[in-house]
């Protein structure tokens, strides 16, 4: 059965020893060979005249990560870091990206600004709608994240309506919420929000290795800096499989977990671990 390999990673912007981390991220891309990669906490410097339409590795962190690896890159800003520097989400695809849009998510009153990046990828087996997001991070912002996830789901159904001929849409990123949280339970069909219910397949639950699958884990010394408990907060969801079993997760594993030693200290690709899954098409 043919599959698409989908991966996600919160890159942790350029915190820590970025050149060493970049080398580890690129090494994992060479190993995992994802067809589509969603990235969060990506930095991009836009020119003052706004003329740049295809950011290069000098100005876009996602392009720096993907340089020479055969990916097309699109980016969507989420927060303004001033001076033309923004932080946001990116998508890297080995297949043509037909179009893309960026949507601001609710919750700016919380002091954080978040966004949803949408792209339509033309795979050999049909168009694939892909959504990449990064929700509020504070542990007590569950009410903000529930509003954000409701908005995210609305965009998914608007851009990839049920009955469309495209492949089942993929939603991935750093949700900053554990599986027991209402915002994740809503996506998995366990609870309603505002009188509505939906169902998206959690690729880890469907095809993971049976472990907890913590993606923010204190054994990673960069994650340990936050003094937070280890937990699973990064996800790949698919609204499927459909009646042809397209979009069925076949195998899901943690990714970007290999570390190296530099100057006597462990270096990890990011403060998060990522995920990679194979979806049947």
């Amino acid at each position: 059965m043919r599959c698409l390999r989908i991966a996600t990673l919160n890159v942790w912007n350029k915190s820590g020893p970025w050149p060493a981390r970049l080398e580890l991220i690129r090494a994992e891309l060479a190993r995992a060979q994802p067809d589509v990669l969603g990235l969060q906490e990506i930095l991009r410097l836009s020119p003052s005249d706004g003329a740049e339409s295809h950011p290069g590795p000098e100005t876009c962190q996602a392009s720096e990560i993907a340089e020479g690896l055969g990916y097309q890159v699109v980016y969507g800003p989420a927060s303004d870091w001033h001076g033309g520097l923004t932080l946001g989400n990116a998508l890297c695809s080995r297949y043509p990206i037909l179009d893309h849009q960026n949507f601001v998510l609710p919750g700016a009153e919380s002091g954080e600004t978040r966004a949803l990046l949408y792209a339509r990828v033309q795979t050999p087996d049909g168009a694939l709608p892909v959504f990449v997001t990064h929700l509020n991070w504070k542990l007590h912002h569950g009410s903000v994240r529930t509003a954000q996830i409701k908005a995210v789901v609305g965009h998914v159904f608007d851009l990839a309506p049920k009955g469309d001929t495209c492949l089942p849409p993929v939603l991935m990123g750093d949700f900053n919420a554990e599986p027991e949280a209402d915002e994740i339970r809503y996506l998995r069909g366990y609870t309603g929000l505002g009188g509505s219910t939906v169902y998206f397949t959690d690729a880890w639950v469907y095809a993971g290795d049976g472990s907890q699958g913590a993606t923010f884990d204190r054994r990673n010394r960069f994650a340990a800096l936050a003094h937070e408990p280890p937990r699973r907060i990064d996800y790949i969801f698919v609204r499927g499989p459909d009646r042809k079993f397209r979009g069925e997760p076949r195998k899901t594993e943690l990714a970007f977990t290999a570390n190296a030693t530099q100057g006597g200290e462990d270096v990890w690709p990011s403060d998060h671990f990522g995920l990679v899954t194979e979806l049947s098409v």
Side-chain angles (χ1 to χ4, degrees), residues 19 22 56 60 64 76 86 118 135-136 191 197 204 216 222 226 242 254 258 280:
L22 173 61
C60 179
E64 185 179 12
T86 59
Y118 157 74
L135 305 185
N136 269 38
T191 191
T197 57
W204 181 261
F216 198 74
F222 297 144
D242 64 12
L254 291 175
S280 62

Side-chain angles (χ1 to χ4, degrees), residues 22-44:
L22 173 61
E23 184 176 342
L24 291 173
I25 291 171
R26 285 173 57 84
E28 179 68 343
L29 288 178
R31 181 200 71 83
Q33 292 288 311
D35 299 303
V36 177
L37 170 68
L39 298 171
Q40 306 87 52
E41 286 200 34
I42 289 293
L43 290 170
R44 178 183 171 183

Side-chain angles (χ1 to χ4, degrees), residues 9-10 37-44 60 62 73-79 86-92 102-103 105 113-118 131-135 172-174:
L9 176 68
N10 180 322
L37 170 68
L39 298 171
Q40 306 87 52
E41 286 200 34
I42 289 293
L43 290 170
R44 178 183 171 183
C60 179
V73 178
V74 292
Y75 170 82
S79 59
T86 59
L87 183 79
N89 305 300
L91 184 78
C92 307
N102 196 55
F103 301 94
L105 295 180
T113 53
R114 302 291 174 169
L116 172 72
L117 174 64
Y118 157 74
F131 299 83
V132 184
T133 196
H134 182 196
L135 305 185
M172 59 181 157
D174 175 6

Side-chain angles (χ1 to χ4, degrees), residues 120 129 131 153-169 197-201 238-243 246:
R120 192 174 181 89
F131 299 83
V153 167
H155 289 304
V156 173
F157 278 86
D158 285 344
L159 291 161
K162 295 285 290 263
D164 194 356
T165 58
C166 65
L167 294 167
T197 57
V198 296
Y199 178 77
F200 287 71
T201 294
V238 58
R239 196 187 67 201
D242 64 12
R243 292 185 179 183
R246 301 181 307 171

Side-chain angles (χ1 to χ4, degrees), residues 68-246:
L69 299 179
Y71 289 102
Q72 183 178 342
V73 178
V74 292
Y75 170 82
S79 59
D80 184 358
W81 282 25
H82 306 295
L85 185 65
T86 59
L87 183 79
N89 305 300
L91 184 78
C92 307
S93 172
R94 293 192 185 277
Y95 302 115
I97 297 175
L98 302 176
D99 59 87
H100 67 282
Q101 297 180 58
N102 196 55
F103 301 94
V104 176
L105 295 180
E109 71 284 353
S110 69
E112 301 179 34
T113 53
R114 302 291 174 169
L116 172 72
L117 174 64
Y118 157 74
R120 192 174 181 89
V121 175
Q122 185 59 58
T123 80
D125 297 280
L128 175 70
V130 184
F131 299 83
V132 184
T133 196
H134 182 196
L135 305 185
N136 269 38
W137 74 269
K138 292 184 176 67
L139 297 177
H140 63 283
H141 278 186
S143 61
V144 180
R145 287 188 292 272
T146 54
Q148 290 171 341
I149 208 63
K150 280 279 289 180
V152 165
V153 167
H155 289 304
V156 173
F157 278 86
D158 285 344
L159 291 161
K162 295 285 290 263
D164 194 356
T165 58
C166 65
L167 294 167
V170 172
L171 168 63
M172 59 181 157
D174 175 6
F175 291 72
N176 276 311
E178 298 175 63
E180 299 81 7
D182 280 349
E183 48 271 41
I184 304 302
R185 286 171 51 81
Y186 171 67
L187 284 175
R188 295 176 59 194
Y190 290 149
T191 191
L193 290 179
S196 71
T197 57
V198 296
Y199 178 77
F200 287 71
T201 294
D202 180 340
W204 181 261
V205 171
Y206 199 103
D209 63 11
S211 68
Q212 180 189 8
T215 58
F216 198 74
D217 194 332
R218 287 180 298 187
R219 68 187 173 97
N220 178 334
R221 76 177 181 93
F222 297 144
L225 296 173
H227 295 274
E228 295 178 3
R231 59 204 194 277
R232 185 163 73 93
I233 59 175
D234 300 82
Y235 300 85
I236 299 174
F237 291 102
V238 58
R239 196 187 67 201
D242 64 12
R243 292 185 179 183
K244 297 179 182 179
F245 300 103
R246 301 181 307 171

